[in-house]
Amino acid sequence: MARILLTGATGLIGGAVLHQALSRDDDASWVCLVRCTNVEQGRQRVAARLERFTDAFTAQRLARKIEIVPGDFTRADLDMDPRLDACTHVLHLAADTSWWGGERVFRTNHDGTLALARRAQAMLGLQRFLHVGTAMICGADAPSLVEEDAYPAADARHIVGYTESKAATETSLAEQFPDLPIVVARPSIVVGHATLGAAPSSSILWVLRAADALRMLPCSLESCVDIVPADWVAETLIGLLTKRDLKHTLYHLSAGKAGRTRWADVIAAFEAADPSDGIRAFEPFDLDRDCARLRKRFAAVFGLDDATKRAMLRATRAYYAFCALDLTFANDRLIQEGFEQAPSLVSYLPVCLANSAEIVEQFVDDMEMFAPSPGADASHPDQPLAAIA
């Protein structure tokens, strides 16, 4: 019987994993390492996340199925709780997702993951350590179709510190823990839920809606976005975690060539969902040279009268920098393993829009990700990215 240690249970994907796994009547037991002062507080933190996927009563019922271990994955190598010793699988989702958090992000994501790996070495029955990274460890100079290479390039140019920390983590895991049964999953861009829409989280969805409202793109309408829904990611992670034999130790959890979405199709989906706003005429612009024009348009559409909106402008520029890369992440390995292709963004965008709050309100879900690093001047949201990244 599988005994699964999960980190990141209170996050979007962690909540989706638990909701789908606990709703089944299988023999797996789930142990959640949660930052909390006691077991009940930890259970209520998990239940609060589960409520985004179901009703409050069911969330509480599902949370009672979990074994809560109060703790911090970044200090897991110092945690001698015997309940961890019997774990047969580890699903490591927890991370600091701040884009401009500096050394703190590296310490959490890199050093903290290595601490968890050291603790996993004492799990004598361990069958799989599934580490969840990000497809964007390829860096900003990657080819338009990113293959599932074994290791991130040491000289990759990263737009934000988060992806750099994830790349370093993969390299260190491979070098320092060859004895662990490590499998790496790299999701692409996770947006919404294929059936629940924006209810579990509006993370990144607000970016698409902001682009629609601004009518500006730093890329061609024929360029693509590689977007997948949280529930598909969760289901695929559970499969990668528990499938007895895998052909590889690295997989992209992505839309791939078959499922990527052109910006033209995204725009058409917005037009179909909101025909009252008419035909969208998008204006191309250069992100480096036309930042003042973007700022002017943003001020006209959303305003810049408070700190939240200024942070949203910084975040919009950062996401536009990724959009301009026009990257697709190959998912051949995943499909060859027998996993289903992800639903296309266009197929579930209407349900995301149907239960969406205001765009600025949705941005608040991601606001902590975009706090400027120490020394950056947050009062100038149109400054070059290098100044705040």
Side-chain angles (χ1 to χ4, degrees):
M1 185 174 70
R3 180 175 169 83
I4 303 168
L5 174 63
L6 174 66
T7 70
T10 58
L12 168 61
I13 298 177
V17 165
L18 284 178
H19 177 247
Q20 290 176 223
L22 296 174
S23 297
R24 303 167 182 165
D25 291 323
D26 58 25
D27 293 330
S29 60
W30 288 81
V31 181
C32 295
L33 190 64
V34 182
R35 285 183 297 173
C36 54
T37 57
N38 56 64
V39 168
E40 187 56 29
Q41 183 192 57
R43 197 179 307 281
Q44 291 309 312
R45 287 194 66 205
V46 174
R49 171 54 66 177
L50 288 170
E51 278 190 42
R52 299 232 185 168
F53 298 88
T54 186
D55 60 271
F57 177 81
T58 303
Q60 289 290 335
R61 179 177 60 81
L62 295 178
R64 292 293 161 188
K65 295 183 177 184
I66 304 166
E67 187 170 350
I68 300 291
V69 175
D72 184 343
F73 82 91
T74 66
R75 297 173 56 83
D77 53 343
L78 304 177
D79 190 339
M80 295 299 106
D81 193 311
R83 291 174 293 178
L84 302 181
D85 295 332
C87 291
T88 59
H89 298 72
V90 175
L91 175 52
H92 179 40
L93 283 165
D96 186 332
T97 58
S98 301
W99 281 20
W100 302 318
E103 276 298 311
R104 185 198 72 228
V105 172
F106 191 89
R107 286 195 306 271
T108 299
N109 296 342
H110 177 270
D111 300 352
T113 298
L114 300 191
L116 181 65
R118 286 191 291 272
R119 184 63 179 87
Q121 288 178 314
M123 301 173 188
L124 300 183
L126 187 66
Q127 299 172 29
R128 186 157 299 154
F129 185 110
L130 184 55
H131 168 70
V132 181
T134 172
M136 269 309 306
I137 66 163
C138 62
D141 299 318
S144 59
L145 180 62
V146 182
E147 301 291 349
E148 293 156 296
D149 295 324
Y151 301 105
D155 60 349
R157 179 174 63 88
H158 292 276
I159 295 177
V160 296
Y162 167 71
T163 61
E164 186 174 15
S165 73
K166 285 292 193 175
T169 300
E170 281 195 28
T171 299
S172 294
L173 282 174
E175 291 176 348
Q176 298 182 32
F177 300 92
D179 57 321
L180 286 181
I182 296 173
V183 174
V184 175
R186 296 175 183 164
S188 56
I189 306 169
V190 182
V191 176
H193 189 288
T195 58
L196 299 177
S201 173
S202 57
S203 180
I204 307 181
L205 175 62
W206 67 266
V207 181
L208 302 177
R209 297 183 66 209
D212 177 58
L214 292 168
R215 304 288 201 271
M216 295 179 72
L217 281 178
C219 53
S220 162
L221 296 185
E222 293 304 308
S223 65
C224 296
V225 285
D226 193 315
I227 288 177
V228 291
D231 50 318
W232 176 85
V233 172
E235 190 66 35
T236 307
L237 285 174
I238 294 170
L240 287 174
L241 186 68
T242 58
K243 188 177 181 182
R244 185 176 297 276
D245 297 309
L246 292 174
K247 297 180 180 67
H248 304 281
T249 58
L250 167 64
Y251 297 87
H252 279 159
L253 274 60
S254 60
K257 292 174 65 176
R260 60 187 173 179
T261 304
R262 298 181 310 146
W263 272 104
D265 297 324
V266 176
I267 294 167
F270 273 105
E271 290 175 350
D274 185 15
S276 64
D277 210 12
I279 301 298
R280 270 69 165 168
F282 272 70
E283 177 184 344
F285 77 104
D286 186 287
L287 189 58
D288 292 324
R289 293 197 301 264
D290 297 338
C291 58
R293 187 150 58 97
L294 173 61
R295 185 182 192 279
K296 182 178 180 181
R297 179 72 64 84
F298 189 98
V301 173
F302 297 110
L304 284 170
D305 51 313
D306 60 39
T308 297
K309 293 175 182 177
R310 291 190 290 272
M312 181 176 159
L313 173 56
R314 289 195 301 274
T316 300
R317 291 196 61 239
Y319 271 115
Y320 268 170
F322 282 105
C323 292
L325 300 178
D326 187 17
L327 296 179
T328 298
F329 302 99
N331 64 356
D332 304 80
R333 292 181 177 180
L334 204 65
I335 301 304
Q336 290 166 7
E337 289 282 2
F339 292 98
E340 293 185 1
Q341 176 71 40
S344 70
L345 169 66
V346 169
S347 72
Y348 70 92
L349 182 60
V351 70
C352 288
L353 299 177
N355 60 1
S356 283
E358 294 296 320
I359 298 174
V360 176
E361 184 179 340
Q362 286 191 324
F363 164 68
V364 174
D365 257 10
D366 283 349
M367 190 168 176
E368 289 185 4
M369 293 169 57
F370 299 101
S373 57
D377 186 356
S379 65
H380 295 287
D382 54 340
Q383 64 182 297
L385 280 175
I388 54 177

